[in-house]
Amino acid sequence: MDLTELLEIGEKERQGQTGIRLRVCVAAGCLSANAQAVKQSLEAAVAEAGLAGSVQVTGVGCLGLCSGGPLVAVDPENILYEKVTPGDAPSIVAALTGRGPATAKQADFNHPFFTRQVPIVLENSGKIDPERIEDYIAANGYQPLYHALREMKPTEVIDTIIKSGLRGRGGAGYPTGLKWALVAKVKSERKFIVCNADEGDPGAFMDRSVLESDPHRVLEGMAIAAYAVGADQGFIYVRGEYPLAISRLQTAIRQARKLDLLGSQIFESPFHFRVDLRIGAGAFVCGEETALMGSIEGKRGTPRPRPPYPAEHGLWGFPTLINNVETFANIPAIIRNGAEWFAKIGTEKSKGTKVFALAGKIKNTGLIEVPMGTPLRTIIEEMGGGVPDGGTVKAVQTGGPSGGCIPTQALDTPVDYESLASLGSIMGSGGMIVIDQQNNMVDVARFFMEFCKDESCGKCVPCRAGTAQILHLLDKVREGRAVAQDLDTLDQLCTMVKQTSLCGLGQSAPNPVLSTLRYFRPEYEAFLAKPEPPSAAA
């Protein structure tokens, strides 16, 4: 495979996409709402109308507005139909030729849900067929890999990522280029690349959607990273609860190998890179990088102390670079458009965009990508449409079980790493759950603490025993048996667990409790046991 052949494949694919195209979302969310039947009905309606030569029905990835699924987009008319049923198919096809209106409801593309987004990671999501490498190539796919391999030195690739300001999108926000540089400078006979796709946060579906919608983008980002740091083997560690993502990754890897875009002498260069999948069994702690590596090696997934860090001592003792799905998905666009382009988006310390999964008590649930620094209020009230049925926002929980609950008075806070940390929360991988006035914050804190207790690997005492004791105190509060001193004990216990646990699970597990104690303490106090009135004899 050379650049000429790559461009020819893309041009041939684009020529075959002339005419009208019906893009049907076949990501997991829409499939659960009968999208496959919608796609089949559209195909049948197109054939019956004699339009098979001029109208294409294509299955694509996530179109974003999950609350409106199943979704069908029409090109080039730029129409998006929501909550489409199989029965709507004949009228949608008839509307293409002016033979009547479509019965399906049209989504408003002028709504802030769409207009406020800046797609980088999601630029192909919902536009290309995730099971056709030709469609990805037609969208300029694998050209950044060619540019990196044939026109840049590994050090130049790393410098580009450093100058872009990209920070890891998996939670901590460590500078991506600096992490790459650490792995690159270590001398070793072998190095590994790992994509952490073990997305276990309740309410999070960002990585799943990217893998289902644009798997080649992640493979390309991993290959560029491997070239930059000197690795020849990659692993994607994906949770077993994501069968569709796994299937599409397997297809993408097979297709890339067939075109020599993975394997040996990629783009006729000396670079070799192989990618394999490893399927996780659902342990939340395996999202922690050292536990994840243990699981890949066939061991029990439990964290180990650091240092040494994976950059020096990772898989089987060799230097290992670990980034998550969204981080790798940013790489092709940065190589294609340049570091300066990316660095102009976002804030001074948080560059680029962030993908969020909007869930909970909000009208427009779904997947969005916004510039770093976008206020929470813009995301929740404008893009998300606020709480359904006239309700009001009480809090926004960001970062999954590792994050905190942000009160409504802080909704003007910009979404970036430092601002969320100042509120006692984190960005995490991008889960964002909206909580309304009907929810009690003690119950919210208890839900996340129970999750963390159940998911603790039990290796270190602070997490194993501490999460259980925190949950016990929350139950005591909820049952009306606690006194004021118990809230102080709860606060102290959370701080101890946070400061002394071995890995990120225990270190962040108290965040929902600490943040709700900080912002919603009256709700805790309302459950406290009432003092006994003095007896008449006294």
Side-chain angles (χ1 to χ4, degrees):
M1 172 70 70
D2 59 22
L3 181 60
T4 300
E5 292 174 303
L6 186 77
L7 295 176
E8 287 176 351
I9 290 172
E11 182 58 30
K12 182 179 178 180
E13 183 70 13
R14 283 189 289 270
Q15 290 178 356
Q17 293 178 0
T18 57
I20 298 173
R21 195 180 191 204
L22 299 178
R23 293 182 281 120
V24 185
C25 173
V26 288
C30 282
L31 285 177
S32 68
N34 210 24
Q36 191 61 42
V38 170
K39 182 174 180 287
Q40 292 169 351
S41 296
L42 285 169
E43 290 169 340
V46 166
E48 187 175 342
L51 299 173
S54 58
V55 177
Q56 295 179 337
V57 180
T58 304
V60 297
C62 183
L63 282 159
L65 189 61
C66 298
S67 57
L71 297 162
V72 177
V74 184
D75 297 328
E77 282 78 1
N78 198 33
I79 295 172
L80 179 65
Y81 294 110
E82 58 179 313
K83 298 184 179 178
V84 181
T85 68
D88 292 321
S91 69
I92 290 175
V93 173
L96 299 176
T97 56
R99 291 185 288 121
T103 55
K105 178 186 176 184
Q106 282 192 34
D108 181 10
F109 268 130
N110 293 318
H111 190 279
F113 183 89
F114 300 103
T115 60
R116 291 282 191 175
Q117 295 201 46
V118 178
I120 296 177
V121 171
L122 302 180
E123 67 176 330
N124 295 330
S125 183
K127 296 180 180 178
I128 66 171
D129 183 344
E131 298 187 355
R132 283 183 54 80
I133 191 173
E134 297 84 358
D135 212 353
Y136 179 70
I137 293 173
N140 301 315
Y142 288 109
Q143 290 184 38
L145 177 60
Y146 176 88
H147 176 55
L149 294 183
R150 299 299 298 271
E151 300 171 1
M152 301 175 73
K153 298 176 182 178
T155 53
E156 292 175 328
V157 174
I158 293 174
D159 286 344
T160 298
I161 303 304
I162 291 174
K163 291 176 182 176
S164 75
L166 175 67
R167 296 170 64 172
R169 299 302 196 241
Y174 190 83
T176 302
L178 292 182
K179 181 183 281 192
W180 289 22
L182 289 172
V183 179
K185 74 176 184 179
V186 179
K187 304 298 181 183
S188 177
E189 60 182 285
R190 291 211 71 185
K191 294 180 183 179
F192 294 98
I193 300 290
V194 174
C195 176
N196 184 348
D198 191 58
E199 182 179 55
D201 293 358
F205 49 91
M206 303 76 58
D207 290 352
R208 186 199 74 196
S209 296
V210 172
L211 294 174
E212 291 174 354
S213 305
D214 200 5
H216 285 285
R217 187 180 195 87
V218 179
L219 295 179
E220 184 175 12
M222 291 178 67
I224 293 170
Y227 169 70
V229 305
D232 61 4
Q233 170 72 61
F235 292 100
I236 302 177
Y237 188 90
V238 58
R239 58 192 303 104
E241 294 91 336
Y242 286 176
L244 183 61
I246 292 169
S247 172
R248 288 181 178 165
L249 278 170
Q250 290 170 333
T251 298
I253 292 171
R254 185 170 61 250
Q255 292 173 341
R257 286 175 178 167
K258 185 176 181 180
L259 293 182
D260 294 327
L261 296 169
L262 288 178
S264 301
Q265 296 180 321
I266 299 172
F267 283 123
E268 301 177 355
S269 74
F271 175 62
H272 310 279
F273 186 56
R274 173 190 175 97
V275 176
D276 292 301
L277 297 185
R278 290 294 182 267
I279 312 303
F284 180 66
V285 74
C286 284
E288 194 277 337
E289 59 184 15
T290 62
L292 181 151
M293 291 190 299
S295 182
I296 291 178
E297 293 172 347
K299 305 171 185 175
R300 183 184 178 195
T302 55
R304 62 168 172 78
R306 297 176 299 176
Y309 291 93
E312 297 177 328
H313 187 90
L315 284 174
W316 296 287
F318 294 105
T320 302
L321 172 66
I322 305 177
N323 285 129
N324 83 324
V325 170
E326 187 179 342
T327 307
F328 282 123
N330 271 291
I331 302 303
I334 293 173
I335 298 299
R336 185 195 316 131
N337 299 311
E340 293 76 13
W341 163 80
F342 189 84
K344 289 179 181 178
I345 305 169
T347 68
E348 182 181 354
K349 295 183 178 180
S350 299
K351 305 294 187 182
T353 61
K354 182 71 188 77
V355 178
F356 290 103
L358 283 179
K361 301 293 184 67
I362 192 167
K363 292 179 182 177
N364 301 325
T365 59
L367 200 68
I368 63 169
E369 184 174 3
V370 296
M372 290 280 197
T374 301
L376 274 169
R377 190 177 303 279
T378 298
I379 296 173
I380 302 304
E381 295 185 355
E382 294 184 27
M383 301 179 72
V387 177
D389 303 322
T392 57
V393 177
K394 175 186 279 190
V396 179
Q397 205 273 345
T398 66
S402 304
C405 297
I406 300 169
T408 185
Q409 61 265 30
L411 286 185
D412 291 317
T413 301
V415 174
D416 59 54
Y417 293 100
E418 286 74 25
S419 297
L420 293 183
S422 70
L423 294 174
S425 188
I426 62 172
M427 191 173 309
S429 56
M432 189 173 287
I433 300 174
V434 179
I435 300 165
D436 72 358
Q437 296 294 336
Q438 296 181 5
N439 293 110
N440 184 276
M441 300 310 293
V442 180
D443 292 336
V444 171
R446 189 197 180 283
F447 168 81
F448 285 110
M449 183 50 60
E450 183 176 32
F451 177 88
C452 290
K453 181 191 78 70
D454 291 343
E455 293 294 339
S456 173
C457 74
K459 183 174 183 177
C460 73
V461 174
C463 182
R464 181 181 72 239
T467 54
Q469 288 303 310
I470 293 171
L471 183 63
H472 170 72
L473 280 173
L474 289 172
D475 284 336
K476 189 176 179 181
V477 171
R478 193 64 182 84
E479 293 165 7
R481 299 183 290 108
V483 296
Q485 186 177 351
D486 288 317
L487 298 187
D488 295 332
T489 302
L490 182 61
D491 192 302
Q492 294 167 6
L493 181 58
C494 285
T495 301
M496 182 276 294
V497 172
K498 189 177 180 70
Q499 294 176 348
T500 59
S501 292
L502 173 62
C503 83
L505 190 156
Q507 292 165 8
S508 59
N511 284 347
V513 180
L514 288 170
S515 61
T516 50
L517 276 171
R518 176 180 175 183
Y519 297 116
F520 301 96
R521 195 177 187 91
E523 296 195 24
Y524 283 82
E525 294 171 342
F527 284 114
L528 297 181
K530 303 298 186 290
E532 293 290 336
S535 64

